[in-house]
Amino acid sequence: YINIFHVFGGDHELAMKTGAIMTAKVSSVGTILAMLSIPFITWVCKKFQKHNALRLALGMMVAGCLLNWVCYVPGRPNLQYILPFFFSLGISSTYTVLGTLMADVTDIDELNTGSRREGMFGAVMAWMSKGVGSIQALIAGALLAATGFTAGTDMQTPETILNMRVMFSFAPAAVLTLA
């Protein structure tokens, strides 16, 4: 919606098409970067330890969120190509490192308890991921409604655009910082 109503001006038909194409292009760059980054993530984990690699990944995601504020600019949509170098690399690193940390936790648990419970750890991780995925759409919709967004209109108020940008940039950065 930020691409449609802020970057591309809100002319619904043209802005929707152009915004969707721009989002698809930037997302494609992010996906390619995420796949290409796996050897780098492995190197960082070996060189600086996994927990530090996770901190770096979360920091990259925070930087990506904050950069949303300056990269979603009317008349300069190509700035969005900067974002995957932070957010996409950060999120792919997070998922990669978390999976390897789960194996370490399973081994430490076996040393402490004498029981091998990787199935339990895997089940809890899968349940948490599915739970977050299930409520994600509800939270996103509630946050969009809280910004003052009005569906079905070609334009949004300047206050709504500002609220949407804050929720898109600073709110996730704050949550990721807590992580």
Side-chain angles (χ1 to χ4, degrees), residues 105-121:
V105 168
T106 302
D107 289 342
I108 290 170
D109 180 65
E110 181 181 15
L111 287 172
N112 290 336
T113 66
S115 298
R116 192 83 181 153
R117 302 185 293 187
E118 64 264 31
M120 180 206 49
F121 285 105

Side-chain angles (χ1 to χ4, degrees), residues 36-148:
L36 294 175
S37 71
I38 293 172
F40 175 71
I41 297 165
T42 303
W43 177 81
V44 170
C45 285
K46 288 179 181 176
K47 180 81 174 165
F48 301 104
Q49 300 180 346
K50 294 174 189 174
H51 64 282
N52 290 322
L54 183 60
R55 285 186 183 110
L56 174 64
L58 290 169
M60 290 176 70
M61 289 170 54
V62 169
C65 289
L66 294 174
L67 282 170
N68 284 337
W69 187 262
V70 295
C71 289
Y72 280 85
V73 178
R76 303 205 50 205
N78 288 333
L79 288 175
Q80 294 174 47
Y81 286 110
I82 295 169
L83 299 171
F85 289 92
F86 292 91
F87 196 81
S88 295
L89 290 178
I91 199 162
S92 67
S93 299
T94 299
Y95 281 112
T96 302
V97 174
L98 283 177
T100 64
L101 282 172
M102 190 174 87
D104 295 343
V105 168
T106 302
D107 289 342
I108 290 170
D109 180 65
E110 181 181 15
L111 287 172
N112 290 336
T113 66
S115 298
R116 192 83 181 153
R117 302 185 293 187
E118 64 264 31
M120 180 206 49
F121 285 105
V124 169
M125 190 169 178
W127 183 81
M128 295 283 290
S129 294
K130 289 177 183 180
V132 167
S134 297
I135 64 170
Q136 183 179 6
L138 292 173
I139 292 171
L143 289 175
L144 187 61
T147 65

